[in-house]
Amino acid sequence: MIEHDDNSYEKLKKTLVEKFEDHFGTRPFFLVAAPARVNLIGEHIDYCDGFVLPLAINRHVMIAATPNGSERANLLSLMLPNQPATVMLDEPPKVSQPSWANVIRGVFDGFRNKDFWPLPGFDAVIHSNVPLGAGLSSSAALEVAAATMVESLLGIEINPKNKALLCQTAEHKFAGVPCGIMDQFASVFGKKDHMILIDCRSEEAQAIPFADDSVEIIIADTRVKHALSDGSYANRRKHTEIALSILGKDSWRDVTMEDLLSAEPNMNEQVFRRARHVVTEIDRTQRAAMALARGKTETVGQLMADSHKSLRDDFEVSCKELDIMVEAAWDIGEAGGVLGSRMTGGGFGGSTVTLARKDNAEEIMQKMAATYQAQTGIEPSIFATTAVDGAHSLGL
């Protein structure tokens, strides 16, 4: 299935306002939006003090709200209309049911702990066009949208970095997901026509201009997600920790390829390959950011291909479906408008990201979808996007 934007942002906003009026009998007073993200390059190195290079995409979580004069937040999700949530604001938030609202409870807890309280009671409706299960971080977009709504209700604006970290903590404490900083930072710091280079050691974000305006991003959801019942993700993190210990370094940022090759005899083959991915991916991400800023998109494309091969062969987090989708893009090649393609996200399913010429994007998406469905029997979901602005308030 090829999805087209067709003014999707405005459609999302229109539907949200209409549903709010239908449910609460009044127009909303506040309206906010936060985008999802895709990572162009820099995978599985956020927990290794590395760099990541995501962009905010044209898929959003929006929240409409109006104060209700009580001490309750009444929350309705249009994605789960049969699971409304009520959160009491005069007591510390706790993990509760429905579970989808837990990260919002976590955001409330974060503001409460920073003494930005009391929060006035309000009625809210939440809507989203972020594909679920595609690895585009709908949860971070919900957290950042909720934090932006709290800012509006309180009439404040907190430091963007603190806002992103508050949302990360909400996911840790209230969803039990020990995520890195990339997702929340991308949703907060997103900027139109820019990538966001995030230094995961210093926790600083820098906007990198997308200098070549002839290209856009194609995101292809494989619609598969393989279970990690064998602890694959945790094992890979453990391998990186073992390797760093053998290297005798405090941070992967201090490790060179020469250091790694010297230490290879002290590592088993699997740990060495995990370490090789970390060292080379940190380097690739920095080189990609520089190339993007200079408009050298062909260079970025080759780095993306190298990243996928490293994730497939050294880190072993790809899967058959991801490889088929990436190779479908590679087969189209530069002559057909594809500059680069790779898996994106944690792996074992989810989505791929492809750098493509705008003029060829429609044909590329059709070919990728046809190839993937012919080889897997699964109809993928594919759409094109440019980089958009991060979380913001909307006019009504």
Side-chain angles (χ1 to χ4, degrees):
M1 179 177 64
I2 310 300
E3 297 181 18
H4 297 94
D5 281 349
D6 295 331
N7 213 19
S8 61
Y9 182 90
E10 290 301 323
K11 285 183 177 179
L12 185 69
K13 174 181 174 182
K14 182 174 184 291
T15 300
L16 177 61
V17 172
E18 288 175 352
K19 294 296 183 180
F20 187 95
E21 291 174 344
D22 290 345
H23 191 77
F24 290 111
T26 184
R27 281 181 65 79
F29 197 77
F30 299 108
L31 189 61
V32 302
R37 65 93 188 98
V38 70
N39 191 25
L40 190 70
I41 194 168
E43 218 67 73
H44 282 281
I45 55 172
D46 54 337
Y47 50 81
C48 296
D49 285 345
F51 292 91
V52 293
L53 191 63
L55 63 146
I57 63 173
N58 190 24
R59 293 293 184 273
H60 294 80
V61 172
M62 288 188 185
I63 304 178
T66 292
N68 60 20
S70 75
E71 295 179 329
R72 299 187 308 275
N74 300 311
L75 311 174
L76 175 67
S77 168
L78 296 184
M79 296 80 74
L80 297 165
N82 296 321
Q83 298 183 36
T86 298
V87 181
M88 299 306 299
L89 301 175
D90 58 347
E91 58 189 43
K94 297 178 181 178
V95 173
S96 185
Q97 294 296 322
S99 59
W100 69 264
N102 278 329
V103 293
I104 297 179
R105 296 182 179 100
V107 168
F108 293 167
D109 186 63
F111 277 91
R112 188 184 187 94
N113 289 336
K114 291 183 179 297
D115 295 327
F116 295 119
W117 219 255
L119 178 66
F122 64 96
D123 300 322
V125 176
I126 301 156
H127 198 18
S128 171
N129 59 6
V130 183
L132 297 178
L136 303 177
S137 200
S138 57
S139 60
L142 176 58
E143 293 151 12
V144 173
T148 306
M149 178 56 71
V150 171
E151 288 179 305
S152 297
L153 287 160
L154 292 174
I156 63 172
E157 188 172 318
I158 67 173
N159 177 280
K161 178 178 175 179
N162 292 341
K163 179 176 171 177
L165 292 173
L166 182 153
C167 291
Q168 180 200 25
T169 300
E171 187 148 345
H172 288 184
K173 291 176 61 177
F174 281 74
V177 179
C179 60
I181 65 173
M182 175 176 68
D183 298 348
Q184 292 82 7
F185 269 58
S187 190
V188 169
F189 287 100
K191 185 175 180 181
K192 181 177 172 58
D193 298 327
H194 286 70
M195 303 290 166
I196 307 301
L197 180 65
I198 304 170
D199 183 333
C200 297
R201 179 165 65 173
S202 67
E203 297 183 335
E204 298 297 332
Q206 177 185 358
I208 304 294
F210 213 162
D212 187 348
D213 61 6
S214 73
V215 299
E216 63 183 356
I217 302 295
I218 293 172
I219 299 171
D221 179 6
T222 63
R223 293 196 163 171
V224 298
K225 188 67 176 177
H226 296 291
L228 304 181
S229 57
D230 61 350
S232 298
Y233 180 84
N235 286 342
R236 280 154 181 76
R237 288 198 65 160
K238 186 64 176 178
H239 289 157
T240 65
E241 293 166 2
I242 291 170
L244 191 62
S245 176
I246 292 171
L247 286 159
K249 301 284 188 177
D250 294 327
S251 170
W252 280 105
R253 295 278 284 280
D254 303 325
V255 178
T256 65
M257 184 55 71
E258 291 75 17
D259 293 331
L260 182 57
L261 292 172
S262 296
E264 183 178 4
N266 301 319
M267 300 180 185
N268 69 38
E269 187 261 347
Q270 193 175 59
V271 168
F272 173 76
R273 286 190 288 110
R274 305 293 189 251
R276 182 167 59 190
H277 169 72
V278 173
V279 173
T280 57
E281 188 79 348
I282 288 174
D283 177 65
R284 278 189 291 269
T285 305
Q286 294 177 87
R287 289 163 59 198
M290 288 187 289
L292 270 175
R294 295 169 181 169
K296 296 182 177 180
T297 43
E298 293 84 358
T299 299
V300 179
Q302 183 57 55
L303 292 167
M304 292 172 69
D306 292 342
S307 174
H308 183 79
K309 293 171 185 175
S310 181
L311 288 159
R312 180 192 66 196
D313 302 333
D314 277 355
F315 223 67
E316 297 180 287
V317 291
S318 190
C319 63
K320 178 186 72 174
E321 294 87 357
L322 285 169
D323 291 342
I324 289 171
M325 190 70 83
V326 168
E327 288 163 13
W330 287 352
D331 289 344
I332 296 168
E334 194 170 339
V338 170
L339 300 173
S341 188
R342 61 182 284 275
M343 62 155 280
T344 187
F348 309 102
S351 297
T352 69
V353 58
T354 299
L355 193 62
R357 297 292 179 193
K358 287 180 182 178
D359 291 346
N360 303 99
E362 184 67 27
E363 184 178 0
I364 291 168
M365 290 190 289
Q366 295 288 353
K367 287 182 177 179
M368 288 175 65
T371 299
Y372 181 78
Q373 188 161 358
Q375 294 190 40
T376 66
I378 302 167
E379 183 183 19
S381 177
I382 305 181
F383 66 94
T385 184
T386 54
V388 304
D389 286 328
H392 53 280
S393 297
L394 292 74
L396 287 165

